[in-house]
Amino acid sequence: MIKRALSGITPSGSNLHIGNYFGAVKQQIELQNSIDQTLYFVADLHALTTVHDKEQLQNNIRNVVLDYLALGVDPEKSIFFRQSDVPQHCELSVILANYISFSHMQRMHAYKDKLANDSEADINMGLFNYPILMAADILLYQPDGVPVGEDQKQHVELTRDIAQNFNKRYGSEILKLPEPLISKTLGKIIGTDGVRKMSKSLGNVIGIFDSEEIIRKQIFSCFTDPNRIKATDPGKVEGNPVFIFHDLLNQNQEEVDDLKARYIKGSVGDVEVKEKLLKAHLTYFQPFREKRKELEKNNKLLENILRQGAQRAQNLASETLNKVEEAIGLTKVFN
Ligand code: TYM
């Protein structure tokens, strides 16, 4: 039984997209309402691997805080905080780096993907060490489960390896091994290109809180069945991104069934399918968009939420850090 869950989002782009929502955040909100304790945070230190502009970073952080709260993170039910407000993340990260090998770190996807396109000279050490900071993010709070999308699976596995190496040396009860909580069906939401996972850096996203104009553009850029040239050609629904998105967003099942049936027959055009997808998107997220507008006006409230969250997170984090420091010999040298 999962009792405590923790997860985070990196403010590396401006707004969250529907891949983030259906792949991770939705599950996180459900857990918030069903298990003992949930902790969610904005991983701002992680964003430094790519964002080196002060204003952009501040904007990104602000946007992700607003998005996360608008999507349903409730600071009364969850501990909601900003990573850099809790210095224990950095401290534990420095410690944990000593319990994993360089060659193991070279096998991490984020590093390997970057290496496939850039030279080593263009890869900063923050990116290379990123999974160790993520292990610290997790292990500090001893969660049973980490609700994330499929792309984070390797990071949770690394976290378990680091914890295991540490425990083997210092005692099996010190760091709890977390389970990745990944939805089998929604763990990897496809992008508008219909090929790769939806991702900020690939530019194949459908936003949640962007303007209607931008969301329209994103939806209308969406790939459909590549073999269907005219609206009268019979089309394929399975694996077709517009229909994958309809299944996620459109709450009018009758309409979805009708569109699919007509698409298969060749009696509906892409424009109608996409127009209806846009409408479904705006309907689905309307309450969240309204909540976000309210929150935007209330800087004081946001500041208070983060301050309180940081305090509660620090209390838990310092317990684990003390335990770790005690185990490895960093405390009480002259007692
Ligand atoms: P990030 O910010 O890239 O993504 C946030 C969450 O959204 C999920 N996700 C997806 N799920 C399904 N389909 C997609 N196309 C898709 N795109 C994104 C991600 O899997 C993630 O759950 N390293 C993390 C942030 C982090 C973290 C942590 C998470 C830092 N420390 C500790 C958990 C625990 C990241 O960059 O996620």
Side-chain angles (χ1 to χ4, degrees):
M1 243 303 264
I2 302 282
K3 286 192 172 159
R4 183 185 286 180
L6 164 134
S7 200
I9 296 184
T10 306
S12 51
S14 53
N15 279 121
L16 294 193
H17 53 74
I18 65 170
N20 296 129
Y21 181 68
F22 290 103
V25 177
K26 192 162 179 269
Q27 189 194 180
Q28 292 165 11
I29 306 300
E30 282 157 12
L31 283 169
Q32 163 185 272
N33 297 318
S34 63
I35 67 170
D36 285 1
Q37 191 170 41
T38 43
L39 298 105
Y40 299 125
F41 69 99
V42 176
D44 54 355
L45 291 168
H46 285 280
L48 292 173
T49 60
T50 53
V51 186
H52 291 177
D53 180 276
K54 177 179 172 176
E55 256 138 56
Q56 194 195 338
L57 183 66
Q58 287 177 324
N59 250 334
N60 290 359
I61 295 169
R62 189 178 150 75
N63 274 319
V64 172
V65 167
L66 284 164
D67 290 359
Y68 227 156
L69 290 170
L71 289 172
V73 169
D74 178 350
E76 299 290 321
K77 293 183 184 159
S78 292
I79 299 182
F80 180 65
F81 64 101
R82 194 160 72 115
Q83 183 188 30
S84 64
D85 282 336
V86 185
Q88 286 86 350
H89 289 243
C90 295
E91 294 172 47
L92 186 62
S93 174
V94 169
I95 292 173
L96 294 181
N98 301 289
Y99 303 92
I100 194 74
S101 70
F102 179 69
S103 65
H104 197 135
M105 293 304 296
Q106 283 177 307
R107 295 199 293 270
M108 301 310 290
H109 293 319
Y111 168 69
K112 278 173 57 180
D113 290 351
K114 184 94 176 138
L115 201 55
N117 300 310
D118 293 283
S119 77
E120 275 182 358
D122 294 321
I123 301 178
N124 62 51
M125 283 305 292
L127 181 91
F128 189 74
N129 283 336
Y130 170 103
I132 302 177
L133 179 57
M134 183 158 159
D137 296 338
I138 297 170
L139 295 172
L140 265 183
Y141 302 96
Q142 318 259 12
D144 311 288
V146 183
V148 282
E150 178 72 38
D151 60 343
Q152 299 299 318
K153 187 168 178 215
Q154 195 194 32
H155 291 150
V156 182
E157 281 163 0
L158 177 85
T159 303
R160 291 173 62 89
D161 289 334
I162 293 179
Q164 237 158 358
N165 291 345
F166 187 93
N167 287 346
K168 220 190 284 166
R169 180 67 190 83
Y170 299 106
S172 60
E173 295 299 304
I174 299 176
L175 296 174
K176 183 169 208 152
L177 270 52
E179 295 291 336
L181 304 176
I182 300 169
S183 160
K184 278 206 178 68
T185 48
L186 303 174
K188 185 176 168 189
I189 306 288
I190 203 94
T192 50
D193 55 8
V195 183
R196 297 168 300 177
K197 72 154 192 166
M198 188 174 285
S199 160
K200 293 170 243 197
S201 58
L202 296 174
N204 61 358
V205 304
I206 297 178
I208 297 175
F209 297 106
D210 301 273
S211 68
E212 186 175 331
E213 200 187 324
I214 289 182
I215 290 169
R216 169 180 288 274
K217 257 199 205 127
Q218 292 167 334
I219 286 180
F220 274 78
S221 76
C222 195
F223 279 57
T224 52
D225 178 350
N227 297 318
R228 189 173 182 255
I229 316 286
K230 305 188 289 315
T232 47
D233 292 342
K236 224 177 121 200
V237 161
E238 235 167 82
N240 185 332
V242 248
F243 286 104
I244 293 175
F245 301 143
H246 261 291
D247 283 336
L248 292 172
L249 293 166
N250 197 334
Q251 289 153 317
N252 182 348
Q253 192 56 49
E254 230 173 90
E255 180 173 281
V256 178
D257 292 343
D258 169 64
L259 287 173
K260 283 184 181 172
R262 287 199 285 137
Y263 197 84
I264 291 166
K265 271 196 294 188
S267 62
V268 64
D270 280 1
V271 172
E272 182 182 342
V273 179
K274 289 179 175 176
E275 259 330 322
K276 290 198 162 131
L277 180 59
L278 174 66
K279 212 175 107 226
H281 179 295
L282 296 173
T283 308
Y284 189 101
F285 288 113
Q286 199 212 351
F288 303 107
R289 291 168 77 98
E290 274 169 18
K291 183 154 176 215
R292 196 182 192 281
K293 275 204 195 105
E294 279 309 303
L295 287 165
E296 272 169 27
K297 293 185 219 147
N298 208 337
N299 278 340
K300 247 270 89 39
L301 175 73
L302 299 173
E303 225 183 276
N304 282 339
I305 289 173
L306 289 180
R307 191 176 313 112
Q308 222 181 58
Q311 194 55 55
R312 293 169 72 197
Q314 276 179 31
N315 291 342
L316 289 172
S318 61
E319 258 177 54
T320 306
L321 189 65
N322 286 344
K323 222 159 73 172
V324 165
E325 290 185 336
E326 165 78 26
I328 60 182
L330 283 176
T331 53
K332 299 188 187 136
V333 178
F334 295 106
N335 273 355

